[in-house]
Amino acid sequence: MEPSSSNTGFFQRLPVLENQFHDDVSFQRIAKLFVPASILDKVGPEIEQLGQEVLSQQIFDWITDAEKNQPYLRGSGRDAFGRPKSELVVTEGWRKLQDFGLARGFVAYNYDTNCGPYNRVVQFLRCHLWEASCANTLCPAAMQDGAARLLQRHLSRQGGLTDIERQVLQNAYNHLISRDPANAWTSGQWMTERTGGSDVSQTETVAVYDPYPDSATAPLASAAEKTPLGPWSISGFKWFSSATDSQMTILLARTKPGLGVSAFFAPMRRHNPSLVSITGQKDGGTELNGITIQRLKAKFGTQSLPTAELELKGMRGWMIGEEGKGIQGISTILNITRVHSSVSSMGYLGRSIAVAKAYALVREIGVGKGKRTPLSQHPLHMRTLVNTTVDYHGMMLLDFYTLYILGLDEHLSRPYQASDAAAASATVALSPPPKHFISPLLRVLSSLHKAYICEATIPLVFGCMESLGGVGYLVNSESEYINLARIFRDACVGAIWEGTTDLLSSDTLRALKHSVAGKESLSAMDWFVSDGLKLASSGSVGEKIQSAWDKLRERLEKESQGNLLPEARHITFRIAEVLMAVLYLVDAKVNPGREIDAMCNMYLSKRGFVEVQTGKGGNSFELDLAIVYGSKGVGEKMAKL
């Protein structure tokens, strides 16, 4: 009997992480439910390839580099002689991951590809696979997406812009939707100040209209592109900037006392013809556009992401939209960044489940009397993964239904293109809402889905980390693909940025209680519940779900907003559960099977829509395996090991 040593004895076999395009059963069901077969046949092979690329060793090496060599200010913000110098340094891994994301068009897809109203669903199916491999580079990409949508809306309007304004905004938009990493821009979104985050009512940043005497000789943001700096001079202090290495930003500032905040576009850098190189050449160059990086934030998670405090002094920018109406403008961005946040949370959870499943196939445990068995053959371990999988699929349904509605809303507002005909003729099993219900539905879903999903995924990701035992608690940078500790830390931010759970629950309640728009949203929700239950032929179960919604609706109609506010989180979450229950029934009806039937029944039981039958063991162990690993179960997975 030989003793073990550092290099001899038992070594745990590494799990094999499979392409989630195939391995994630929920991902496959979502794609079939929300994307017409004709479109899915066309985009599927590229998404499948993407699912393989994001699991490459090169990607994980870049993640490790981005995590270990975190952003910093060169010289702590000063040069060798003490002069202020805000030079941000990011690692090679961060830059490579960002370039990968830009080249693969995770943002550009929605703007340069025409899948009709399904653009957003397809775009975020791609993002879902990338989230856990991107090392937070999709954070600035989310704001890039939001800024692109905002500029797209302004540029599509006839009138309201001068020729120079249109030139500047069009130039920025072209950069935002580019797939060329050398040409593409990401964007900041600067709202948070010391007075508050999502609450911008106390914004202290001030913008003064101070145009240059002659626009023909105005200083340039870019000498190569001949884009001038804006006529507004902006000064203030931004407390939380999560895209400090971006090329532009959208920010809020006050222009007059008593007037609401206004929205502005500003480039991060400007041309300075008087700059001298270190070799003494007077050939000009670029510098920050009136920005000083005060310090970088030290954070619990998202540590690869450069987040900073910024002081603005004379930053030059361009007003976007109407003066004093900046919140309306920024809401366009928030609709986009909030869906990015929820998809990020689901991407983290999907990858965590994938790692937990893979580990269960190779890790053996003792079961008494000298016997050992893989975790995948342990009934309790599998039932725990089943429960996680059931919750995951419910939230995937809610997330992608929101994206489906977002895509419909954007499609209605853009000019018709000849290629729309093919996309319009493609259909999904879900009934699209009547046109007058699309915006009211989105108004509620935008806050509701993010509040629920980003909060609920955190303990589920932790559960996957726990399922690995002690190794799950380790920062496994030497085997980065199973590093669930990193994913858990990063997932926690979802419930905080772009609106905390309480704030978004309050927003949901406010949207439903609005004197005019609230009635429209309630009517739209009525349509969703009744139409979904009708499609699902739900019988007595549907009656209970309908009853649950009717009770919520009655409270919303009869009680004041003030009385409901303490329960806003509970109300928001219960509405989300009603929506997911309807979507579960629809999914089970459209693509039937014993696994989805069992998952649907488990979900409805957990949420109190059907009675839990006591005295019965529930699913068979074989059915649990099929829910977690797919209809072919563990046999095919083990054969590959």
Side-chain angles (χ1 to χ4, degrees):
M1 184 174 177
E2 294 292 327
S4 62
S5 70
S6 59
N7 294 312
T8 61
F10 172 78
F11 288 95
Q12 174 60 51
R13 185 170 35 154
L14 285 167
V16 174
L17 197 58
E18 296 193 31
N19 186 339
Q20 287 175 251
F21 178 84
H22 299 294
D23 190 53
D24 187 335
V25 178
S26 180
F27 184 90
Q28 284 287 324
R29 294 193 68 89
I30 291 296
K32 292 175 182 176
L33 184 63
F34 290 106
V35 183
S38 59
I39 294 177
L40 192 57
D41 288 344
K42 182 174 64 175
V43 302
E46 187 271 337
I47 301 177
E48 178 186 16
Q49 178 60 33
L50 184 64
Q52 198 64 36
E53 290 177 351
V54 302
L55 298 180
S56 71
Q57 185 59 51
Q58 179 64 83
I59 291 290
F60 289 111
D61 288 346
W62 287 337
I63 294 172
T64 303
D65 181 52
E67 288 286 319
K68 284 187 172 293
N69 301 302
Q70 294 173 15
Y72 66 93
L73 282 178
R74 193 185 300 280
S76 299
R78 296 186 180 271
D79 70 10
F81 298 100
R83 295 182 186 86
K85 184 181 182 182
S86 296
E87 187 178 349
L88 176 68
V89 180
V90 294
T91 186
E92 179 77 2
W94 171 267
R95 290 195 298 271
K96 291 292 189 181
L97 289 167
Q98 197 160 64
D99 286 353
F100 178 93
L102 292 168
R104 297 308 185 280
F106 287 106
V107 169
Y109 195 94
N110 187 58
Y111 304 93
D112 66 9
T113 308
N114 187 13
C115 294
Y118 310 104
N119 258 23
R120 284 296 187 186
V121 173
V122 176
Q123 176 196 7
F124 282 101
L125 284 170
R126 301 171 82 251
C127 287
H128 181 87
L129 298 176
W130 176 228
E131 292 289 354
S133 290
C134 76
N136 307 298
T137 55
L138 273 177
C139 171
M143 292 175 270
Q144 171 192 355
D145 197 350
R149 177 61 181 151
L150 178 65
L151 296 187
Q152 183 187 53
R153 291 187 65 180
H154 280 280
L155 288 166
S156 66
R157 294 170 182 166
Q158 297 297 322
L161 294 175
T162 67
D163 290 344
I164 292 178
E165 287 172 334
R166 186 168 292 277
Q167 172 203 337
V168 169
L169 296 186
Q170 185 67 55
N171 178 69
Y173 175 74
N174 292 344
H175 282 292
L176 288 169
I177 66 169
S178 173
R179 293 185 184 230
D180 178 4
N183 185 60
W185 288 2
T186 58
S187 177
Q189 174 194 320
W190 300 348
M191 297 192 301
T192 304
E193 300 192 5
R194 288 173 294 211
T195 54
S198 298
D199 177 9
V200 298
S201 62
Q202 302 300 309
T203 293
E204 296 179 319
T205 300
V206 175
V208 177
Y209 187 65
D210 183 23
Y212 296 103
D214 183 359
S215 61
T217 59
L220 299 175
S222 168
E225 297 179 336
K226 302 285 191 295
T227 50
L229 291 171
W232 290 85
S233 177
I234 307 169
S235 300
F237 194 83
K238 295 298 182 181
W239 180 242
F240 217 95
S241 139
S242 287
T244 313
D245 64 333
S246 294
Q247 292 78 16
M248 60 162 282
T249 189
I250 303 293
L251 70 157
L252 296 176
R254 294 194 176 279
T255 56
K256 296 174 186 174
L259 194 64
V261 294
S262 300
F264 295 87
F265 153 76
M268 285 290 289
R269 304 188 72 83
R270 64 191 179 197
H271 176 65
N272 185 344
S274 65
L275 287 180
V276 179
S277 72
I278 59 173
T279 59
Q281 294 177 306
K282 298 181 180 180
D283 51 4
T286 65
E287 62 186 7
L288 287 173
N289 178 20
I291 305 164
T292 299
I293 303 175
Q294 193 71 16
R295 64 170 176 168
L296 295 180
K297 301 283 196 181
K299 298 166 292 178
F300 170 66
T302 65
Q303 294 174 4
S304 58
L305 173 69
T307 305
E309 298 170 15
L310 304 175
E311 184 174 8
L312 314 180
K313 285 187 177 180
M315 183 185 200
R316 305 299 297 202
W318 301 83
M319 184 179 288
I320 299 179
E322 189 176 342
E323 187 173 0
K325 300 291 182 67
I327 292 179
Q328 290 90 324
I330 214 77
S331 65
T332 297
I333 297 180
L334 287 176
N335 278 342
I336 306 303
T337 54
R338 284 174 177 172
V339 295
H340 271 278
S341 295
S342 64
V343 172
S344 176
S345 291
M346 295 311 300
Y348 290 143
L349 179 55
R351 180 66 60 80
S352 299
I353 292 172
V355 172
K357 288 163 52 178
Y359 187 71
L361 292 174
V362 297
R363 181 64 174 175
E364 292 186 349
I365 58 170
V367 290
K369 297 182 179 180
K371 295 182 179 180
R372 301 188 65 78
T373 187
L375 282 171
S376 60
Q377 297 300 309
H378 193 281
L380 176 58
H381 193 81
M382 281 298 99
R383 181 57 59 86
T384 300
L385 284 181
V386 164
N387 287 328
T388 301
T389 301
V390 168
D391 287 341
Y392 170 61
H393 187 60
M395 289 187 288
M396 284 285 279
L397 287 165
L398 176 60
D399 207 14
F400 278 87
Y401 185 75
T402 302
L403 291 163
Y404 172 59
I405 297 299
L406 174 64
L408 290 173
D409 183 69
E410 291 186 352
H411 189 68
L412 286 175
S413 66
R414 72 184 185 111
Y416 182 82
Q417 300 176 23
S419 54
D420 286 349
S425 65
T427 58
V428 290
L430 286 166
S431 302
K435 289 184 179 180
H436 63 282
F437 282 157
I438 292 174
S439 291
L441 268 177
L442 183 61
R443 196 178 302 131
V444 175
L445 289 171
S446 177
S447 298
L448 178 145
H449 89 290
K450 196 268 182 187
Y452 187 96
I453 288 171
C454 292
E455 178 80 15
T457 50
I458 295 171
L460 296 174
V461 171
F462 180 84
C464 293
M465 185 172 76
E466 178 191 355
S467 76
L468 272 62
V471 74
Y473 189 68
L474 302 178
V475 180
N476 294 297
S477 56
E478 60 276 89
S479 300
E480 190 68 62
Y481 75 104
I482 62 168
N483 191 355
L484 294 190
R486 169 183 63 84
I487 289 176
F488 173 71
R489 288 199 318 268
D490 290 350
C492 287
V493 79
I496 298 173
W497 67 13
E498 305 304 343
T500 64
T501 307
D502 279 356
L503 184 141
L504 292 172
S505 297
S506 301
D507 281 354
T508 302
L509 178 62
R510 189 180 303 113
L512 291 168
K513 289 294 293 179
H514 190 276
S515 58
V516 178
K519 295 176 182 178
E520 296 173 349
S521 292
L522 286 171
S523 296
M525 294 286 289
D526 281 338
W527 170 86
F528 170 83
V529 174
S530 62
D531 189 77
L533 294 177
K534 181 180 178 181
L535 175 62
S537 304
S538 52
S540 60
V541 174
E543 291 175 2
K544 292 182 179 180
I545 296 171
Q546 182 69 59
S547 175
W549 165 243
D550 290 343
K551 290 176 182 177
L552 286 165
R553 194 189 204 287
E554 184 178 10
R555 288 197 66 191
L556 289 164
E557 287 183 320
K558 290 185 175 181
E559 297 185 40
S560 70
Q561 187 171 327
N563 287 341
L564 292 171
L565 186 58
E567 295 185 63
R569 183 187 283 231
H570 167 75
I571 292 169
T572 298
F573 279 30
R574 190 54 176 166
I575 294 173
E577 289 167 357
V578 167
L579 296 176
M580 287 185 281
V582 173
L583 289 167
Y584 242 123
L585 287 169
V586 170
D587 187 26
K589 177 71 174 182
V590 172
N591 295 304
R594 61 177 191 140
E595 295 89 358
I596 190 61
D597 287 344
M599 291 168 65
C600 183
N601 188 61
M602 289 181 70
Y603 181 83
L604 296 173
S605 298
K606 288 170 71 174
R607 305 306 175 204
F609 294 114
V610 298
E611 293 182 7
V612 179
Q613 298 181 8
T614 58
K616 293 187 177 182
N619 301 342
S620 67
F621 178 65
E622 186 266 338
L623 182 53
D624 280 354
L625 285 176
I627 290 172
V628 173
Y629 288 102
S631 58
K632 295 181 180 179
V634 174
E636 185 178 285
K637 309 285 185 185
M638 294 295 291
K640 293 180 180 179
L641 298 177

